[in-house]
Amino acid sequence: MSNMEKELKQLIIDCLDLEDLTIEDINSQEALFNEGLGLDSIDALELGLAIRKKYNVRIDADKDDVVNIFASVATLTQFIESEQMGKA
Amino acid sequence: MQQDFILNQWSVWPPLDDSGLTEAELLAFMPKMLKRRLSPLAKTVFCAAAPCLKKGEEIPTVFSSTHGELAKSFAMMEMIEAGEDISPTAFSLSVHNAIAGLFSIAYKNKVQSTVVAPGEEGVAAAFIEAIGLLAEGEKEVLIVLYDEPLVDFYPAEPFKLSANQRCAVALKISKTGEGIPLRFSCQSETGNDGEQPLQVPLLIKFLSTAQACLKILTPRHSWQWEKQ
């Protein structure tokens, strides 16, 4: 897994009170919400805030395809990297 | 005003002795993803209520707390003051019905739930609400009274509105059935026994001993519970 994926997994564990998980327990391709990891809508808001704080990347519910961006660690990583590229 | 009801079951957390289940055992039924949302106060509520509930049972609930999760709200206000973003999770769990919400999710309890924030009258408000539900035809009602010490920032004295221990007591009441028959009434004598956090220990003493009558004095009335 890429460094960004590792970092993102640790962020998910820290900001969503998932201390009993390790980054190895989260599969980059696995669904984050409902199925898979089993996160819920409050987690989505919390994670969105944590990503904004850490990467200065804003996920806009009106403009962005939130469902697909939050689908997995892999899709989130892709979105953050492409946003950071756009800013560079 | 005078109302009779049966106290079917009651329990308190922290427990009065070591004979019962531990916190980990009482909360073992909850999925991890839900358990991570429980604050220390929510855990106290769940541990008090668990012994009063049968598996899969649906029961109307009346929760009562003077301060609720005020510590969470206060921490958020400090963050706002510091110009920081507040946590959506912390916000959702800070509202007065947050613990009742978690409770209904954990027990899949889809029937009526009320959350009272009583003032000077204290625990009586929850009993009035629960007795009202019985009068409307509910067979049983679960009352859960809970509070934790007030955040230091707020002046608890001389207002008699905070105790120094986090505590919850759960009572399952009904019109008929097995248990302790109680008569609840309002009397004219006045005084000041303090708000709910200070009344709950008086109620626990009444429930756990042979004491025949509990009278709680408030600035406007007194409330009386008599074992029949």
Side-chain angles (χ1 to χ4, degrees):
Chain A
M1 78 185 109
S2 73
N3 278 340
M4 174 64 125
E5 286 183 359
K6 275 188 195 158
E7 204 177 273
L8 200 54
K9 287 176 186 179
Q10 195 57 52
L11 182 71
I12 289 171
I13 289 167
D14 294 342
C15 85
L16 304 182
D17 297 320
L18 301 168
E19 291 92 352
D20 47 348
L21 293 185
T22 65
I23 55 174
E24 281 73 31
D25 295 326
I26 304 175
N27 179 333
S28 299
Q29 314 301 327
E30 189 185 43
L32 286 174
F33 293 89
N34 302 320
E35 303 302 307
L37 197 56
L39 303 182
D40 62 23
S41 58
I42 293 173
D43 293 318
L45 292 172
E46 196 70 33
L47 190 52
L49 178 68
I51 288 170
R52 177 147 57 87
K53 276 187 184 166
K54 190 169 171 89
Y55 300 106
N56 196 25
V57 167
R58 183 183 284 272
I59 301 166
D60 186 340
D62 297 327
K63 197 172 90 231
D64 297 314
D65 185 358
V66 179
V67 174
N68 285 319
I69 293 169
F70 277 103
S72 65
V73 169
T75 57
L76 258 178
T77 303
Q78 208 178 7
F79 178 79
I80 295 168
E81 284 177 341
S82 74
E83 286 289 296
Q84 286 180 327
M85 215 100 81
K87 281 179 187 164
Chain B
M1 185 213 74
Q2 170 177 308
Q3 294 287 331
D4 292 342
F5 63 90
I6 310 286
L7 175 62
N8 304 107
Q9 213 170 350
W10 68 277
S11 69
V12 56
W13 197 265
L16 301 176
D17 59 49
D18 297 335
S19 64
L21 298 175
T22 62
E23 177 183 296
E25 288 164 342
L26 289 166
L27 300 178
F29 78 99
M30 283 182 79
K32 272 188 189 155
M33 294 302 271
L34 190 55
K35 210 187 286 179
R36 74 195 156 117
R37 298 260 161 86
L38 299 186
S39 65
L41 184 59
K43 283 181 181 162
T44 305
V45 167
F46 274 69
C47 287
C52 291
L53 292 163
K54 290 191 282 283
K55 204 172 187 297
E57 175 183 22
E58 288 204 277
I59 183 166
T61 46
V62 177
F63 293 88
S64 174
S65 180
T66 300
H67 308 300
E69 295 274 21
L70 188 56
K72 271 190 203 293
S73 304
F74 185 72
M76 284 192 297
M77 286 189 277
E78 286 186 313
M79 290 183 77
I80 293 169
E81 192 184 25
E84 289 174 42
D85 289 317
I86 60 167
S87 153
T89 312
F91 174 74
S92 76
L93 296 174
S94 72
V95 297
H96 204 62
N97 56 3
I99 294 176
L102 290 168
F103 186 89
S104 71
I105 294 169
Y107 281 97
K108 298 182 172 59
N109 192 31
K110 296 188 278 293
V111 296
Q112 167 164 353
S113 183
T114 307
V115 187
V116 181
E120 286 175 335
E121 302 303 323
V123 302
F127 282 88
I128 292 168
E129 183 70 21
I131 289 166
L133 288 170
L134 293 180
E136 281 186 352
E138 298 290 354
K139 284 200 169 61
E140 291 177 320
V141 179
L142 180 72
I143 300 172
V144 189
L145 312 160
Y146 63 94
D147 266 298
E148 64 184 359
L150 192 57
V151 183
D152 281 343
F153 175 83
Y154 297 102
E157 296 297 336
F159 306 107
K160 295 180 123 179
L161 45 67
S162 182
N164 55 14
Q165 195 195 19
R166 185 181 292 125
C167 174
V169 54
L171 307 97
K172 188 193 262 183
I173 70 165
S174 63
K175 274 260 191 223
T176 55
E178 284 187 19
I180 308 165
L182 290 178
R183 173 162 293 168
F184 173 61
S185 60
C186 183
Q187 315 270 339
S188 57
E189 192 183 339
T190 60
N192 192 358
D193 284 329
E195 296 196 11
Q196 173 172 307
L198 295 169
Q199 295 180 9
V200 163
L202 305 177
L203 179 66
I204 292 170
K205 181 169 170 275
F206 169 66
L207 295 172
S208 61
T209 65
Q211 185 183 333
C213 177
L214 168 68
K215 190 181 257 192
I216 289 178
L217 305 178
T218 78
R220 274 180 293 234
H221 325 265
S222 49
W223 300 98
Q224 187 168 285
W225 291 258
E226 286 168 280
K227 289 172 188 157
Q228 297 295 291

